[in-house]
Amino acid sequence: MCPLDVLALRKKYKSLSPPIASNEEKLIPIAEMYVYPVRGIRAGAQVDSLMLGMHGVMFDREVLLAATEDKAIVTTNTYHEMGCLRQVLKGSVVTITSEKPERLRAKGLPLSLSIDLNDEPEKVGPFVECQEGYFGFQFEDKVGAWFSAAIDREVFAIRSPLRRRTRMNSKELIYDRHDDLRKSFCTDAAFHVINKASVEEVERRMKERHPDGLPNFFISTE
């Protein structure tokens, strides 16, 4: 476990009045950390360390799947078969596997797929626009074929442009700063922090409905 300065993650939103004094800052222990290189895969990649950028976690939500027929975004929320996928991050390389390997064997495909996220997005493939305002660079056909076989749906994968910077939704985040931005395929929140004691409750609710976000950090209050 490692200590984390609260104000290093949470911005001083204008709702904080008066601002938190330096002697009021606290250290909290981090029990687990997760990164989600492929957005939409419910299972995150547990890591021992990560690099924090101004707009989030490096290598987080860098890859996104879209349906071949209409370019609609495909995630576990909208297509539950994606729940069979798992991802592991080692350095800059994310490796994806499936809990239903028979689908890949039937297509004569490898049981895992590795993507180096240090590769320049512009060199991945052609630029493509998808639904919901998402756009990026499309991976070569063999990457899309692997995902298509793994989740039993025709999809293609896109890589987030490095230059993509999107304004926050001020209607949903009424206390955001004017200079807050999001990068890659992240949602409006760059970090999701969850108290580990609540994980059991989250798991129970997941059986009834999908949670709104995916956590990057699990913290321990013990």
Side-chain angles (χ1 to χ4, degrees), residues 36-43 61 63-65 73-79 82-83 85 87 185 214:
Y36 301 83
V38 181
R39 180 180 172 179
I41 296 182
R42 181 69 57 193
R61 280 91 165 180
V63 179
L64 189 63
L65 301 185
I73 301 305
V74 179
T75 67
T76 306
N77 282 345
T78 59
Y79 186 68
M82 274 193 72
L85 299 182
Q87 54 187 336
F185 297 132
L214 299 174

Side-chain angles (χ1 to χ4, degrees), residues 201-217:
E201 177 66 12
V202 172
E203 291 179 347
R204 183 187 69 78
R205 294 187 181 187
M206 282 180 63
K207 297 178 181 179
E208 302 174 358
R209 61 182 180 178
H210 293 285
D212 291 332
L214 299 174
N216 286 109
F217 301 95

Side-chain angles (χ1 to χ4, degrees), residues 26-188:
K26 298 180 180 180
L27 295 178
I28 56 175
I30 298 177
E32 300 172 15
M33 296 188 295
Y34 292 85
V35 180
Y36 301 83
V38 181
R39 180 180 172 179
I41 296 182
R42 181 69 57 193
Q46 186 170 1
V47 295
D48 296 325
S49 62
L50 49 77
M51 294 185 64
L52 303 180
M54 182 177 179
H55 304 297
V57 179
M58 184 173 288
F59 307 133
D60 196 32
R61 280 91 165 180
E62 292 288 353
V63 179
L64 189 63
L65 301 185
T68 302
E69 68 271 18
D70 59 3
K71 297 183 179 180
I73 301 305
V74 179
T75 67
T76 306
N77 282 345
T78 59
Y79 186 68
H80 295 177
E81 285 298 322
M82 274 193 72
C84 70
L85 299 182
R86 299 292 182 268
Q87 54 187 336
V88 175
L89 182 66
K90 297 293 184 182
S92 63
V93 177
V94 57
T95 299
I96 306 99
T97 57
S98 173
E99 292 193 335
K100 296 184 178 180
E102 63 275 7
R103 294 175 176 172
L104 296 166
R105 293 193 184 99
K107 298 287 187 178
L109 295 172
L111 299 185
S112 65
L113 174 69
S114 295
I115 299 173
D116 191 344
L117 299 175
N118 262 339
D119 292 342
E120 294 184 25
E122 290 82 357
K123 296 182 179 179
V124 164
F127 180 83
V128 61
E129 296 187 39
C130 301
Q131 291 191 29
E132 302 177 40
Y134 287 99
F135 54 86
F137 298 94
Q138 184 174 342
F139 284 92
E140 54 189 337
D141 291 343
K142 68 178 183 179
V143 174
W146 191 95
F147 279 111
S148 297
I151 67 174
D152 195 26
R153 182 177 181 180
E154 289 299 317
V155 296
F156 61 90
I158 60 174
R159 174 73 191 278
S160 172
L162 293 176
R163 298 179 181 86
R164 184 176 191 269
R165 295 290 184 270
T166 307
R167 301 291 304 179
M168 295 291 200
N169 186 341
S170 59
K171 294 182 179 179
E172 294 182 2
L173 300 176
I174 60 175
Y175 297 122
D176 66 336
R177 291 162 50 101
H178 71 280
D179 57 347
D180 280 348
L181 300 171
R182 67 186 186 193
K183 76 168 193 65
S184 66
F185 297 132
C186 291
T187 56
D188 281 341

